[in-house]
Amino acid sequence: CNPGSSGCVGLTIARLPLGRPVSLHEHMQSITLDVILRAVFGLEEGARMSELRALLVEMLEPPPAIMAFIPVKYLDFPFSPYRTFVKKRDAVDVVLRAVIRARIAAPDPDGADILSLLVAARDDQGQPMTEDELRDELVTMLIAGHETTATALSWTFACLLENPEVGER
């Protein structure tokens, strides 16, 4: 299947091997990323979705654990994991901003995705969100929703496999 296509979720599940252990988490991450790209960003299958998906997968790969324990000032040197992450983050930012600008330029009044709703939102003074605010909100939803939902789905499968009577219901 093509990432983001509506049949992709079912096909991802159908391709899981039977009769042997399998790590579900990476498959669930793939599914949740596709759902987020559609529900939050309003993207459908196409070049923009494929490009953003590929960049997000790269950016979301966990950095070396050492980065969590060392101050950034000691990590910021050429070819460091920190600079690699910043480069990936910046590539995602370029595409996200292009998606945001396109939506602002051609809003969808009937759009039910989060980006469309945020573009249409106004504050107490009637002002729309800035591009930076929109980007920050979208990244927050992506990061918060992607990993937590993939983990919840993985645990759901684990619980269902241990309790087949529940799965049958």
Side-chain angles (χ1 to χ4, degrees):
C1 71
N2 294 323
S5 65
S6 58
C8 196
V9 172
L11 197 50
T12 298
I13 299 297
R15 287 183 176 168
L16 293 175
L18 296 174
R20 67 180 175 90
V22 62
S23 173
L24 286 175
H25 198 250
E26 68 186 64
H27 298 287
M28 297 303 107
Q29 285 179 315
S30 177
I31 290 169
T32 59
L33 185 55
D34 290 339
V35 170
I36 286 171
L37 288 172
R38 285 194 305 272
V40 173
F41 297 92
L43 295 176
E44 295 298 330
E45 191 172 348
R48 178 59 45 98
M49 183 171 176
S50 296
E51 177 186 22
L52 183 56
R53 186 184 201 289
L55 291 170
L56 287 168
V57 166
E58 257 189 68
M59 185 188 83
L60 292 170
E61 284 186 19
I66 190 94
M67 285 180 59
F69 302 103
I70 298 178
V72 171
K73 67 181 179 179
Y74 298 117
L75 293 172
D76 193 11
F77 55 88
F79 307 109
S80 70
Y82 173 74
R83 287 221 185 145
T84 300
F85 169 76
V86 169
K87 184 177 175 183
K88 291 175 184 180
R89 182 199 64 200
D90 291 349
V92 167
D93 192 64
V94 167
V95 177
L96 278 180
R97 287 180 182 278
V99 169
I100 291 167
R101 286 183 194 122
R103 191 65 54 82
I104 290 170
D108 180 359
D110 299 323
D113 59 274
I114 302 298
L115 177 55
S116 292
L117 297 173
L118 290 173
V119 166
R122 298 293 181 262
D123 66 14
D124 293 340
Q125 288 78 41
Q127 296 300 309
M129 295 175 79
T130 67
E131 185 179 308
D132 286 342
E133 291 169 331
L134 290 166
R135 190 258 343 264
D136 291 349
E137 292 294 330
L138 294 173
V139 168
T140 298
M141 287 181 219
L142 169 73
I143 301 299
H146 174 64
E147 188 62 32
T148 55
T149 306
T151 300
L153 285 171
S154 297
W155 276 108
T156 300
F157 272 94
C159 291
L160 288 172
L161 290 170
E162 288 191 17
N163 300 284
E165 70 283 357
V166 174
E168 287 176 24
R169 282 187 288 163

